[in-house]
């Protein structure tokens, strides 16, 4: 026969096995972190998890996005259940975290705000807790920004909401525009234009080499015959290389746009100039 202590251990093991967690995302500005929530998590436990994942926060607002795209602040267990039920339509459940001062934090169900404020004041009076590891420059800048925002009393919630709504509308409009049939026609026209621009750039590049091939040679009056012949040989080799480079650019332009008639004419002219040079 089992003792009371053995039955207690067995009961605790069964209860641990029954605790099933689910993964959610906690979004604080650009900082997104994973968190594990037990089934039927209370709003108070969620708040504690948020503060544990973001230890620098004082007061917090926790929001979720409903099917209509609005950010709704949750303060009760029933509202948390409603947020969980809406996640099936939107993929992963996300909670949007907004930092506020302690006096602006709502009274969450199951928590006594007076005790929480008293505990924070007690910690402050006992001294500032030092975080593990060296504090970087980014840390104190962020802390100063939060202190300044709380001191001035700037409410950023409405601006964050407007930004979220604006980005959502912009994304939807761009998606509708890009995937429309009219957009596909414009893409085809744009592709042809970019193809022509690329061929034209190579054509002009070839023209540069043709112009370089026409470099003049200047002789001084006291130059000997050997010196003149040497300079002519150097100029010939120079022009030959430039004409070859020009021909390569014209051929590349025709590979990109085979019906580029300016390239065909330029390639014929290049071969004619090269033949004259050899003659």
């Amino acid at each position: 026969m089992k003792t009371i202590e053995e039955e207690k251990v067995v009961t605790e093991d069964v209860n641990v096995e029954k605790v099933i967690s689910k993964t959610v995302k906690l979004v604080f500005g650009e900082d997104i972190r994973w968190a594990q929530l037990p089934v039927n998590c209370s709003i108070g436990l969620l708040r504690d998890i948020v503060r544990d994942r973001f230890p620098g926060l004082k007061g917090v607002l926790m929001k979720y996005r409903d099917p209509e795209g609005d950010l709704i602040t949750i303060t009760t267990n029933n509202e948390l259940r409603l947020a969980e039920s809406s996640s099936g339509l939107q993929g992963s459940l996300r909670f949007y975290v907004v930092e506020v001062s302690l006096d602006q934090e709502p009274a969450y169900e199951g928590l006594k705000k007076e005790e929480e404020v008293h505990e924070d004041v007690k910690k402050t009076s006992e001294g500032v807790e030092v975080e593990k590891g060296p504090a970087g420059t980014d840390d104190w800048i962020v802390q100063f920004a939060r202190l300044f925002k709380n001191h001035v009393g700037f409410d950023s919630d409405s601006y964050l909401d407007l930004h979220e709504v604006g980005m959502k509308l912009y994304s939807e409009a761009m998606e509708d525009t890009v995937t429309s049939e009219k957009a596909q026609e414009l893409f085809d026209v744009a592709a042809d234009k970019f193809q022509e621009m690329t061929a034209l750039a190579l054509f002009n590049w070839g023209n540069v080499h043709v112009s370089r091939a026409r470099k003049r040679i200047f002789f001084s009056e006291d130059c000997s015959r050997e010196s003149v012949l040497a300079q002519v040989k150097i100029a010939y080799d120079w022009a030959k290389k430039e004409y070859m480079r020009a021909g390569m650019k014209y051929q590349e332009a025709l590979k990109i746009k085979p019906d580029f008639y300016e390239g065909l004419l330029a390639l014929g002219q290049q071969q004619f100039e090269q033949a004259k040079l050899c003659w």
Side-chain angles (χ1 to χ4, degrees):
M1 185 173 182
K2 295 183 179 179
T3 63
I4 297 177
E5 288 75 10
E6 291 175 342
E7 291 180 354
K8 183 177 180 181
V9 172
V10 172
T11 303
E12 289 178 351
D13 292 339
V14 173
N15 290 336
V16 170
E17 292 178 356
K18 289 183 178 179
V19 175
I20 303 175
S21 61
K22 56 184 174 182
T23 304
V24 299
K25 293 180 180 179
L26 303 179
V27 183
F28 179 55
E30 298 295 330
D31 192 355
I32 303 178
R33 304 187 183 185
W34 292 104
Q36 295 287 337
L37 301 184
V39 175
N40 295 326
C41 175
S42 66
I43 190 67
L45 179 57
L46 174 60
R47 174 181 172 275
D48 292 339
I49 292 175
V50 169
R51 297 188 64 178
D52 179 69
R53 298 296 289 142
F54 301 99
L57 299 181
K58 298 300 181 182
V60 295
L61 294 179
M62 295 174 293
K63 301 171 178 286
Y64 79 98
R65 191 181 298 281
D66 67 2
E68 296 180 355
D70 297 325
L71 284 175
I72 309 298
T73 302
I74 53 178
T75 58
T76 65
N77 294 329
N78 289 335
E79 293 173 346
L80 180 56
R81 300 287 85 79
L82 183 61
E84 293 172 344
S85 64
S86 65
S87 64
L89 304 176
Q90 307 175 30
S92 301
L93 177 59
R94 294 189 175 202
F95 292 105
Y96 296 84
V97 180
V98 180
E99 183 184 21
V100 295
S101 58
L102 286 176
D103 58 344
Q104 292 179 335
E105 188 180 59
Y108 291 107
E109 182 180 354
L111 292 178
K112 295 182 179 180
K113 188 174 181 182
E114 294 79 6
E115 295 179 359
E116 181 66 28
V117 173
H118 176 71
E119 182 180 353
D120 289 331
V121 172
K122 182 180 179 181
K123 288 183 180 180
T124 305
S125 62
E126 291 176 352
V128 178
E129 296 181 356
V130 180
E131 296 183 359
K132 296 181 180 180
T137 303
D138 293 343
D139 295 335
W140 74 262
I141 290 178
V142 172
Q143 292 174 10
F144 176 79
R146 291 172 180 169
L147 177 64
F148 180 78
K149 187 190 76 170
N150 293 335
H151 178 72
V152 175
F154 177 74
D155 182 12
S156 60
D157 295 352
S158 58
Y159 294 92
L160 291 174
D161 293 345
L162 288 174
H163 176 73
E164 295 264 355
V165 173
M167 290 302 298
K168 179 183 178 182
L169 293 176
Y170 170 78
S171 300
E172 292 177 352
M174 286 298 297
E175 184 68 20
D176 293 340
T177 302
V178 169
T179 56
S180 65
E181 188 66 28
K182 186 177 181 180
Q184 304 308 311
E185 298 176 0
L186 293 176
F187 288 152
D188 293 338
V189 174
D192 292 339
K193 293 298 180 182
F194 284 125
Q195 182 186 32
E196 184 175 353
M197 289 172 61
T198 304
L200 184 60
L202 290 169
F203 166 76
N204 290 327
W205 195 348
N207 290 342
V208 170
H209 287 294
V210 170
S211 299
R212 288 167 60 90
R214 296 172 180 171
K215 180 181 179 181
R216 291 185 179 183
I217 306 176
F218 296 94
F219 305 104
S220 59
E221 296 180 356
D222 56 347
C223 284
S224 62
R225 176 180 176 81
E226 291 77 10
S227 177
V228 171
L229 291 177
Q231 293 187 45
V232 170
K233 180 65 168 61
I234 293 174
Y236 169 80
D237 292 339
W238 166 272
K240 186 177 180 180
K241 290 180 180 179
E242 291 299 324
Y243 281 130
M244 290 178 61
R245 291 171 179 169
M248 292 174 60
K249 298 306 175 186
Y250 295 147
Q251 290 174 0
E252 290 178 11
L254 291 173
K255 288 181 181 179
I256 294 176
K257 189 173 177 59
D259 59 347
F260 186 49
Y261 71 92
E262 288 92 344
L264 290 171
L265 293 176
L267 186 60
Q269 184 66 28
Q270 176 266 343
Q271 293 174 353
F272 174 72
E273 294 293 338
Q274 199 170 14
K276 284 171 53 179
L277 179 67
C278 295
W279 176 79

Short mmCIF file of all heavy atoms in Angstrom, two decimals, residues 4-28:
data_model
loop_
_atom_site.label_atom_id
_atom_site.label_comp_id
_atom_site.label_asym_id
_atom_site.label_seq_id
_atom_site.Cartn_x
_atom_site.Cartn_y
_atom_site.Cartn_z
N ILE A 4 1.36 8.23 1.91
CA ILE A 4 0.83 9.54 1.47
C ILE A 4 1.87 10.29 0.65
O ILE A 4 1.56 10.92 -0.36
CB ILE A 4 0.42 10.37 2.69
CG1 ILE A 4 -0.73 9.66 3.43
CG2 ILE A 4 0.03 11.77 2.29
CD1 ILE A 4 -1.15 10.37 4.70
N GLU A 5 3.16 10.18 1.08
CA GLU A 5 4.22 10.88 0.34
C GLU A 5 4.36 10.32 -1.07
O GLU A 5 4.52 11.07 -2.04
CB GLU A 5 5.55 10.75 1.09
CG GLU A 5 5.66 11.55 2.37
CD GLU A 5 4.86 10.92 3.51
OE1 GLU A 5 4.39 9.77 3.33
OE2 GLU A 5 4.70 11.58 4.56
N GLU A 6 4.28 8.97 -1.23
CA GLU A 6 4.39 8.37 -2.56
C GLU A 6 3.24 8.78 -3.45
O GLU A 6 3.41 9.06 -4.64
CB GLU A 6 4.45 6.84 -2.42
CG GLU A 6 5.73 6.34 -1.78
CD GLU A 6 5.68 4.84 -1.57
OE1 GLU A 6 4.56 4.29 -1.60
OE2 GLU A 6 6.75 4.23 -1.37
N GLU A 7 2.02 8.81 -2.92
CA GLU A 7 0.86 9.24 -3.71
C GLU A 7 1.01 10.70 -4.14
O GLU A 7 0.63 11.09 -5.24
CB GLU A 7 -0.42 9.05 -2.90
CG GLU A 7 -0.79 7.58 -2.66
CD GLU A 7 -2.05 7.46 -1.86
OE1 GLU A 7 -2.56 8.50 -1.40
OE2 GLU A 7 -2.54 6.32 -1.70
N LYS A 8 1.60 11.50 -3.26
CA LYS A 8 1.79 12.92 -3.59
C LYS A 8 2.77 13.08 -4.75
O LYS A 8 2.57 13.87 -5.68
CB LYS A 8 2.29 13.68 -2.37
CG LYS A 8 2.46 15.17 -2.60
CD LYS A 8 2.89 15.87 -1.32
CE LYS A 8 3.05 17.37 -1.56
NZ LYS A 8 3.49 18.07 -0.33
N VAL A 9 3.86 12.29 -4.72
CA VAL A 9 4.84 12.34 -5.80
C VAL A 9 4.22 11.91 -7.12
O VAL A 9 4.42 12.52 -8.17
CB VAL A 9 6.06 11.47 -5.45
CG1 VAL A 9 6.99 11.36 -6.67
CG2 VAL A 9 6.80 12.04 -4.26
N VAL A 10 3.45 10.81 -7.09
CA VAL A 10 2.80 10.32 -8.31
C VAL A 10 1.84 11.37 -8.86
O VAL A 10 1.77 11.63 -10.06
CB VAL A 10 2.06 9.00 -8.03
CG1 VAL A 10 1.22 8.59 -9.24
CG2 VAL A 10 3.06 7.91 -7.66
N THR A 11 1.07 12.00 -7.96
CA THR A 11 0.13 13.03 -8.39
C THR A 11 0.84 14.20 -9.04
O THR A 11 0.41 14.74 -10.06
CB THR A 11 -0.70 13.52 -7.19
OG1 THR A 11 -1.35 12.41 -6.59
CG2 THR A 11 -1.73 14.55 -7.64
N GLU A 12 1.98 14.61 -8.45
CA GLU A 12 2.74 15.73 -9.02
C GLU A 12 3.29 15.36 -10.39
O GLU A 12 3.28 16.19 -11.31
CB GLU A 12 3.88 16.10 -8.06
CG GLU A 12 3.39 16.78 -6.79
CD GLU A 12 4.55 17.09 -5.85
OE1 GLU A 12 5.66 16.63 -6.13
OE2 GLU A 12 4.29 17.79 -4.86
N ASP A 13 3.76 14.11 -10.55
CA ASP A 13 4.28 13.68 -11.85
C ASP A 13 3.20 13.71 -12.91
O ASP A 13 3.41 14.12 -14.05
CB ASP A 13 4.88 12.27 -11.75
CG ASP A 13 6.14 12.26 -10.90
OD1 ASP A 13 6.74 13.35 -10.75
OD2 ASP A 13 6.51 11.18 -10.39
N VAL A 14 2.00 13.26 -12.55
CA VAL A 14 0.88 13.27 -13.50
C VAL A 14 0.52 14.70 -13.89
O VAL A 14 0.27 15.02 -15.06
CB VAL A 14 -0.34 12.54 -12.90
CG1 VAL A 14 -1.55 12.72 -13.82
CG2 VAL A 14 -0.01 11.05 -12.71
N ASN A 15 0.51 15.60 -12.92
CA ASN A 15 0.18 16.99 -13.20
C ASN A 15 1.21 17.62 -14.13
O ASN A 15 0.89 18.42 -15.00
CB ASN A 15 0.09 17.79 -11.89
CG ASN A 15 -1.12 17.41 -11.08
OD1 ASN A 15 -2.11 16.92 -11.64
ND2 ASN A 15 -1.06 17.60 -9.77
N VAL A 16 2.51 17.28 -13.92
CA VAL A 16 3.56 17.83 -14.78
C VAL A 16 3.38 17.35 -16.21
O VAL A 16 3.55 18.09 -17.17
CB VAL A 16 4.96 17.42 -14.24
CG1 VAL A 16 6.04 17.77 -15.25
CG2 VAL A 16 5.21 18.11 -12.91
N GLU A 17 3.01 16.06 -16.37
CA GLU A 17 2.81 15.54 -17.71
C GLU A 17 1.63 16.20 -18.41
O GLU A 17 1.60 16.31 -19.62
CB GLU A 17 2.60 14.02 -17.64
CG GLU A 17 3.85 13.26 -17.18
CD GLU A 17 3.60 11.78 -17.07
OE1 GLU A 17 2.42 11.40 -17.29
OE2 GLU A 17 4.53 11.02 -16.78
N LYS A 18 0.63 16.63 -17.64
CA LYS A 18 -0.56 17.22 -18.24
C LYS A 18 -0.32 18.66 -18.68
O LYS A 18 -1.13 19.22 -19.40
CB LYS A 18 -1.72 17.18 -17.24
CG LYS A 18 -2.27 15.77 -17.02
CD LYS A 18 -3.46 15.80 -16.09
CE LYS A 18 -4.04 14.41 -15.89
NZ LYS A 18 -5.19 14.42 -14.97
N VAL A 19 0.78 19.31 -18.21
CA VAL A 19 1.05 20.70 -18.58
C VAL A 19 1.59 20.72 -20.01
O VAL A 19 2.69 20.25 -20.27
CB VAL A 19 2.06 21.34 -17.62
CG1 VAL A 19 2.41 22.74 -18.09
CG2 VAL A 19 1.49 21.39 -16.21
N ILE A 20 0.80 21.18 -20.91
CA ILE A 20 1.18 21.24 -22.32
C ILE A 20 1.39 22.71 -22.68
O ILE A 20 0.52 23.54 -22.46
CB ILE A 20 0.10 20.64 -23.23
CG1 ILE A 20 -0.18 19.19 -22.79
CG2 ILE A 20 0.52 20.70 -24.68
CD1 ILE A 20 -1.32 18.56 -23.55
N SER A 21 2.56 23.03 -23.21
CA SER A 21 2.88 24.41 -23.55
C SER A 21 2.68 24.65 -25.05
O SER A 21 2.68 23.71 -25.84
CB SER A 21 4.32 24.74 -23.16
OG SER A 21 5.21 23.90 -23.86
N LYS A 22 2.53 25.88 -25.41
CA LYS A 22 2.43 26.27 -26.82
C LYS A 22 3.36 27.44 -27.05
O LYS A 22 3.65 28.23 -26.15
CB LYS A 22 0.99 26.65 -27.16
CG LYS A 22 0.41 27.74 -26.29
CD LYS A 22 -1.05 27.99 -26.63
CE LYS A 22 -1.67 28.98 -25.65
NZ LYS A 22 -3.09 29.21 -25.94
N THR A 23 3.84 27.55 -28.27
CA THR A 23 4.82 28.57 -28.62
C THR A 23 4.12 29.80 -29.19
O THR A 23 3.25 29.69 -30.06
CB THR A 23 5.82 28.03 -29.65
OG1 THR A 23 6.43 26.86 -29.12
CG2 THR A 23 6.90 29.05 -29.96
N VAL A 24 4.50 30.97 -28.70
CA VAL A 24 3.96 32.23 -29.20
C VAL A 24 5.13 33.16 -29.50
O VAL A 24 6.27 32.90 -29.12
CB VAL A 24 3.01 32.90 -28.17
CG1 VAL A 24 1.84 32.01 -27.88
CG2 VAL A 24 3.77 33.23 -26.89
N LYS A 25 4.82 34.26 -30.17
CA LYS A 25 5.83 35.29 -30.46
C LYS A 25 5.51 36.56 -29.67
O LYS A 25 4.36 37.01 -29.65
CB LYS A 25 5.86 35.62 -31.96
CG LYS A 25 6.35 34.49 -32.83
CD LYS A 25 6.35 34.90 -34.30
CE LYS A 25 6.85 33.77 -35.18
NZ LYS A 25 6.84 34.14 -36.62
N LEU A 26 6.53 37.09 -29.02
CA LEU A 26 6.41 38.36 -28.31
C LEU A 26 7.13 39.43 -29.12
O LEU A 26 8.33 39.35 -29.36
CB LEU A 26 7.03 38.25 -26.91
CG LEU A 26 6.46 37.15 -26.01
CD1 LEU A 26 7.18 37.14 -24.67
CD2 LEU A 26 4.96 37.31 -25.82
N VAL A 27 6.38 40.44 -29.57
CA VAL A 27 6.91 41.46 -30.48
C VAL A 27 7.03 42.77 -29.73
O VAL A 27 6.04 43.34 -29.29
CB VAL A 27 5.99 41.62 -31.71
CG1 VAL A 27 6.58 42.64 -32.67
CG2 VAL A 27 5.77 40.29 -32.40
N PHE A 28 8.27 43.24 -29.60
CA PHE A 28 8.53 44.53 -28.96
C PHE A 28 9.32 45.39 -29.94
O PHE A 28 10.54 45.32 -30.01
CB PHE A 28 9.31 44.34 -27.66
CG PHE A 28 9.64 45.65 -26.95
CD1 PHE A 28 8.65 46.54 -26.62
CD2 PHE A 28 10.95 45.96 -26.62
CE1 PHE A 28 8.94 47.73 -25.98
CE2 PHE A 28 11.26 47.14 -25.98
CZ PHE A 28 10.25 48.04 -25.66
#
